[in-house]
């Protein structure tokens, strides 16, 4: 709501209509923009109760192994009225790890279950500082409820981050859309 209408520029869209192990963005993440925004929409997993992961590359996607330190908390509520919770998820964060970082919790694979959200990546081409990211997602979980996820962290590298990959913690991404935007004059 606070962005001028011409400041959000769609760069590319990855549409997933049949199972893929991952969805990667290996071009157009460069010094053109200071901030990049990924919107992932209705990501539906092939496997039940799995997480959507992100990882970063500094070699145009040859390897997704950039060291990350992250944080993750969420609020949840189940359709049954139980499972109400707000809390930090110690097991969901990373401390100086090259593993994929989960940005959702336990997405179900019923026909009406999926995850959607957004991820901001700041100054990925900067070669002086680490690369910060923040995001938020909502998941319809396998246990029939909703989880509002908040996550952030940094890629602990001064190398340029030039590729980002989305993958499920287990199995394929069955369907969904991921859009990459550049934020002008951010």
């Amino acid at each position: 709501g606070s962005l001028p209408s011409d400041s959000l520029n769609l760069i590319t869209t990855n549409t997933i209509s049949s199972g893929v192990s991952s969805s990667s963005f290996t071009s157009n993440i460069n010094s053109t923009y200071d901030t990049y925004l990924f919107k992932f929409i209705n990501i539906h997993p092939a496997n039940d109760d799995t997480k959507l992961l992100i990882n970063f590359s500094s070699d145009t996607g040859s390897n997704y192994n950039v060291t990350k330190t992250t944080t993750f908390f969420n609020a949840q509520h189940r359709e049954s009225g139980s499972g109400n919770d707000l809390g930090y998820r110690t097991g969901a964060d990373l401390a100086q790890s090259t593993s994929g970082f989960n940005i959702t919790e336990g997405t179900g694979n019923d026909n009406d279950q999926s995850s959607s959200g957004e991820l901001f990546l700041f100054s990925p081409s900067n070669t002086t500082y680490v690369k910060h990211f923040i995001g938020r997602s909502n998941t319809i979980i396998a246990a029939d409820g909703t989880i509002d996820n908040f996550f952030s962290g940094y890629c602990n590298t001064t190398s340029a981050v030039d590729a980002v990959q989305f993958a499920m913690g287990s199995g394929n991404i069955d369907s969904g859309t991921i859009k990459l935007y550049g934020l002008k004059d951010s």
Side-chain angles (χ1 to χ4, degrees), residues 76-111:
Q76 62 179 305
H77 189 129
R78 298 218 171 96
E79 290 175 5
S80 65
S82 66
N84 308 324
D85 183 29
L86 171 65
Y88 184 76
R89 302 293 179 241
T90 305
D93 59 15
L94 299 175
Q96 292 301 98
S97 175
T98 60
S99 297
F101 172 53
N102 67 284
I103 58 175
T104 68
E105 285 272 280
T107 309
N109 72 343
D110 291 353
N111 288 336

Side-chain angles (χ1 to χ4, degrees), residues 123-156:
S123 298
S125 295
N126 184 296
T127 56
T128 302
Y129 302 107
V130 299
K131 316 307 175 273
H132 297 271
F133 59 89
I134 61 171
R136 187 172 181 185
S137 65
N138 186 269
T139 301
I140 307 304
I141 59 174
D144 296 323
T146 183
I147 298 185
D148 190 9
N149 306 291
F150 298 81
F151 56 89
S152 63
Y154 63 92
C155 299
N156 195 6

Side-chain angles (χ1 to χ4, degrees), residues 47-183:
N47 290 4
D48 197 32
D49 197 16
T50 189
K51 301 170 182 180
L52 180 63
L53 308 174
I54 58 164
N55 215 333
F56 303 90
S57 175
S58 59
D59 57 11
T60 321
S62 294
N63 298 284
Y64 289 93
N65 60 359
V66 172
T67 301
K68 295 165 294 302
T69 294
T70 65
T71 184
F72 187 97
F73 76 94
N74 59 28
Q76 62 179 305
H77 189 129
R78 298 218 171 96
E79 290 175 5
S80 65
S82 66
N84 308 324
D85 183 29
L86 171 65
Y88 184 76
R89 302 293 179 241
T90 305
D93 59 15
L94 299 175
Q96 292 301 98
S97 175
T98 60
S99 297
F101 172 53
N102 67 284
I103 58 175
T104 68
E105 285 272 280
T107 309
N109 72 343
D110 291 353
N111 288 336
D112 64 346
Q113 296 173 330
S114 65
S115 292
S116 297
E118 60 188 17
L119 164 78
F120 289 89
L121 175 61
F122 301 98
S123 298
S125 295
N126 184 296
T127 56
T128 302
Y129 302 107
V130 299
K131 316 307 175 273
H132 297 271
F133 59 89
I134 61 171
R136 187 172 181 185
S137 65
N138 186 269
T139 301
I140 307 304
I141 59 174
D144 296 323
T146 183
I147 298 185
D148 190 9
N149 306 291
F150 298 81
F151 56 89
S152 63
Y154 63 92
C155 299
N156 195 6
T157 182
T158 56
S159 298
V161 168
D162 55 12
V164 176
Q165 183 179 72
F166 294 79
M168 300 311 300
S170 66
N172 285 338
I173 302 172
D174 215 21
S175 62
T177 303
I178 307 173
K179 295 178 174 273
L180 171 61
Y181 294 87
L183 276 70

